[in-house]
Amino acid sequence: MTSKKLVNTVAGCADDALAGLVACNPSLQLLHGHRVALRSDLDSLKGRVALLSGGGSGHEPAHAGFIGKGMLTGVIAGAVFTSPAVGSILAAIRAVAQAGTVGTLLIVKNYTGDRLNFGLAREQAQAEGIPVEMVVIGDDSAFTVLKKAGRRGLCGTVLIHKVAGALAEAGVGLEEITKRVSAVAQAMGTLGVSLSSCSVPGSRPTFELAADEVELGLGIHGEAGVRRIKMASADEIVTLMLDHMTASSNVSHVPVRAGSSVVLMVNNLGGLSFLELGIIADAAVRALEGRGVKIARALVGTFMSALEMPGISLTLLLVDEPLLKLIDAETTASAWPNVAKVPVTGRKRSRAAPAEPLEASVSTTAGGLTSKRVVLVLERVCATLLGLEDHLNALDRAAGDGDCGTTHSRAARAIQGWLKEGPPPASPTQLLSKLSLLLLEKMGGSSGALYGLFLTAAAQPLKAKTDLPAWSAAMDAGLEAMQKYGKAAPGDRTMLDSLWAAGQELQAWKSPGASLFQVLTKAVQSAEAAAEATKNMEAGAGRASYISSARLDQPDPGAVAAAAVLRAILEALQSPGV
């Protein structure tokens, strides 16, 4: 079965993609009749060296995203994963020559088709009297034994674009640029790893991986790598990659050792989430610095992809100060990141959090809580929520991401950890305030924010008194805050439905002689009934409001969780010895 792609036609997808980039970037132009993009200010390059690169499409933003002042003059694109046509390469060379450039450097990734087609175009251009040189970039560090074809050209090629572009912008001649970038290319290495393959438009995935496997040392055309390894943590994968890239026994290694200064490039191969990319970047920085390697610059993003491949590549380039100046030189290329011109290593990465204000002493009047009672109640609540994790997640899948149980379990574990640190405050105000801060920080999601709001507001009426009417007022204050900021109302199929029903029953505490347990029991029963009733409600707030009511035939998980918390509180308070 072929993969789904958002294209107009398979045959025209490369043309459409390049046209889209040019349409949105006034500094680029297409060369009529060819799949070629050029700087729109070619005339400004008179007397300078032109830089042309390219290859198959499907590697976006490479190569056209790196056209601009201080980088490439133009690119020639082939069909997806296919070398560009000789005629188009030659047309691009002629176009920049006619603009008055003094020579052209072709920057070519080391693949047979690219070498042949760019090489043939170079020979023809030279026969026409156009000065043209060519550098072939092979930065792949996957192969421990050198193949006849040499090292493949990977994401490190982008760094060559940058160095060559800075030199050309500075007015350096063709021969000198060729010599210098050839030397730079020998001081870098790249290694990729992927969780699965990619698929060319109109085709099936290029290879298959088991659920517990990842591919190490793969190229950028969907081809398999040098070996398959078992799925592991990000830290373990990065360590394995760096070990492989820098091992002296590997003929294609990059000689990075303690004391080396490098540019680190963390490249998304196309389908990795930005969350995972950040985790990989952090792991790479920690691993390199742990080996005594100085990271002079770090580039993180998508630079050279392989369509939608969910993987990454790491590139290491050994640098000194003169080379760093070329990396730091200004460029208008749209895909080059805004990199800080300061070293990564040695920078302070955190600052102390502001100190919390000293708590005012709050007297514990009648109705105050003993630490033992608080601990027993909270432990019962935590155990209840942990036991409901799978059930709440199952209920939540009908309305979206299925993490309600996970969120509440996270809160329960945070409370359990807090209780181990020492006895909780006996003051109801301080207790609710502490729980609010804890849930806001640890629980996450809208549930954490709503419970935090509820507890913060509920703590205020308990500053002066802690009798039953004050607890009823606390419930009112918490519900009011939830409605004010959460924008939900009773009947909207949210956690508020359970809490609102309980709050209505707790109004009875405001009457003289009201019974703690009789009223609380009725409140819990009302909350449970309200939670069950949410399965017949149409969602008016929260993520479930975006789902058709016809698909919501189960109770709202937030309402179920809130009712369960109230039941746990009641049962804990009724336990012997509390």
Side-chain angles (χ1 to χ4, degrees), residues 17-19 21-45 49-54 63-77 87-101 103-106 118 332-334:
L18 192 61
L21 178 65
V22 172
C24 297
N25 194 332
S27 64
L28 302 182
Q29 289 180 327
L30 292 171
L31 189 61
H32 183 71
H34 299 278
R35 199 181 291 125
V36 173
L38 298 166
R39 285 175 57 173
S40 58
D41 62 345
L42 278 185
D43 293 339
S44 69
L45 299 178
V49 172
L51 305 175
L52 296 177
S53 189
H63 302 81
F66 300 107
I67 299 175
K69 182 179 179 180
M71 286 195 81
L72 297 177
T73 309
V75 304
I76 309 94
S88 291
I89 301 170
L90 184 59
I93 296 172
R94 289 169 176 162
V96 297
Q98 290 170 9
T101 58
T104 298
L105 176 62
L106 304 178
F118 276 89
T332 60
S334 60

Side-chain angles (χ1 to χ4, degrees), residues 341-536:
K341 297 176 176 60
V342 293
V344 170
T345 298
R347 182 176 63 88
K348 189 176 181 180
R349 292 176 188 146
S350 64
R351 66 168 61 216
E356 294 187 15
L358 294 175
E359 294 178 349
S361 177
V362 180
S363 61
T364 306
T365 58
L369 306 172
T370 66
S371 290
K372 180 182 177 183
R373 175 184 283 188
V374 170
V375 170
L376 290 173
V377 169
L378 291 178
E379 285 179 343
R380 177 67 69 92
V381 169
C382 291
T384 298
L385 292 177
L386 291 171
L388 285 173
E389 180 174 2
D390 292 341
H391 177 59
L392 294 176
N393 280 340
L395 292 177
D396 195 33
R397 289 189 194 101
D401 51 8
D403 68 344
C404 182
T406 302
T407 301
H408 282 79
S409 290
R410 190 159 54 237
R413 293 187 180 94
I415 293 172
Q416 288 176 330
W418 176 60
L419 291 175
K420 291 178 181 178
E421 295 174 3
S427 159
T429 293
Q430 291 182 358
L431 174 64
L432 298 189
S433 296
K434 284 287 188 182
L435 287 172
S436 170
L437 292 173
L438 185 68
L439 297 186
L440 286 169
E441 181 180 353
K442 302 293 187 181
M443 186 175 186
S446 57
S447 296
L450 288 168
Y451 276 119
L453 279 167
F454 177 86
L455 293 169
T456 298
Q460 305 315 306
L462 297 171
K463 285 182 176 179
K465 295 183 179 181
T466 56
D467 54 11
L468 291 182
W471 281 100
S472 178
M475 187 72 166
D476 293 342
L479 291 170
E480 181 181 354
M482 289 181 72
Q483 291 181 86
K484 179 179 179 180
Y485 294 102
K487 299 300 183 183
D492 279 345
R493 197 183 188 277
T494 69
M495 61 191 289
L496 180 67
D497 289 302
S498 294
L499 296 172
W500 179 267
Q504 296 306 106
E505 295 295 340
L506 295 184
Q507 296 299 315
W509 275 348
K510 296 175 182 177
S511 300
S515 167
L516 166 64
F517 288 116
Q518 286 182 1
V519 173
L520 184 56
T521 298
K522 289 186 65 176
V524 171
Q525 291 170 346
S526 293
E528 291 170 337
E532 182 65 19
T534 58
K535 69 180 181 182
N536 299 317

Side-chain angles (χ1 to χ4, degrees), residues 231-294:
M231 188 67 194
S233 69
D235 283 353
E236 292 169 326
I237 294 291
V238 166
T239 297
L240 178 65
M241 294 176 73
L242 293 176
D243 287 345
H244 189 95
M245 293 173 69
T246 60
S248 58
S249 59
N250 176 359
V251 70
S252 61
H253 77 285
V254 54
V256 172
R257 55 185 62 89
S260 296
S261 182
V262 302
V263 168
L264 165 67
M265 209 170 194
V266 182
N267 173 56
N268 188 347
L269 286 172
L272 204 69
S273 70
F274 281 92
L275 178 101
E276 293 163 285
L277 194 64
I279 293 169
I280 292 291
D282 176 62
V285 168
R286 285 188 286 104
L288 285 168
E289 291 181 340
R291 300 170 187 224
V293 177
K294 300 174 183 177

